[in-house]
Amino acid sequence: MLETLLTMQQRHNASPHILRLGRLFCETVLIEVEDQSFYLQFRDGQLISVTPGPSAKTPWRFALRTDRQALEAFWEPLPAPGFHDIFGLVKIGRGRIDGDILALVKNLRFFKEFMALGRLAANGEQPA
């Protein structure tokens, strides 16, 4: 999981399109997959660090919580219905979003496109 997130970080920081979308995003996001936690720190749209957790001392703005199988299904090249979107995961009961939902919604396209980079990382494809 950490390896995929680090690959996503490299691809994210090399994508002018995604950096432009998130140019005002300066937050820490928690990604929790079963018993693993990862803190993604964004500054001006760049992902500056991916830190494994858990940590009671690391504040985060919003969290995406899911299970490994659901996240792997989300990262398929053509995900099945319900696994195609972070809100789809919530709707089918395989994910949960906690924290400041407004911060997520204000930056929804940016965060969705960032999470979709896992599809490239998981499949070894190059970004378009």
Side-chain angles (χ1 to χ4, degrees):
M1 178 61 61
L2 180 60
E3 182 178 314
T4 300
L5 289 172
L6 292 174
T7 301
M8 289 168 62
Q9 178 184 23
Q10 292 171 349
R11 290 185 173 164
H12 167 81
N13 290 337
S15 171
H17 167 70
I18 296 177
L19 290 173
R20 182 176 40 81
L21 286 175
R23 69 188 174 277
L24 302 176
F25 189 66
C26 298
E27 302 292 350
T28 299
V29 176
L30 170 63
I31 304 291
E32 194 172 80
V33 182
E34 294 172 356
D35 61 342
Q36 293 182 310
S37 300
F38 302 95
Y39 298 93
L40 283 58
Q41 186 178 5
F42 293 92
R43 184 177 302 137
D44 300 324
Q46 288 199 354
L47 179 54
I48 59 170
S49 70
V50 177
T51 308
S55 170
K57 295 181 180 182
T58 304
W60 45 269
R61 180 65 65 185
F62 60 87
L64 173 63
R65 295 181 163 103
T66 188
D67 61 86
R68 181 174 298 281
Q69 288 178 334
L71 193 57
E72 288 173 357
F74 175 84
W75 282 337
E76 287 292 316
L78 294 172
F83 294 96
H84 66 289
D85 184 77
I86 59 174
F87 288 112
L89 293 173
V90 173
K91 185 174 182 178
I92 64 172
R94 300 291 297 272
R96 192 173 86 214
I97 298 172
D98 295 321
D100 187 351
I101 301 302
L102 183 59
L104 170 61
V105 172
K106 283 181 175 179
N107 298 283
L108 190 57
R109 183 169 175 204
F110 166 72
F111 189 69
K112 283 184 173 187
E113 291 200 25
F114 167 75
M115 288 302 294
L117 289 174
R119 292 184 180 133
L120 301 172
N123 296 296
E125 298 174 13
Q126 295 298 316

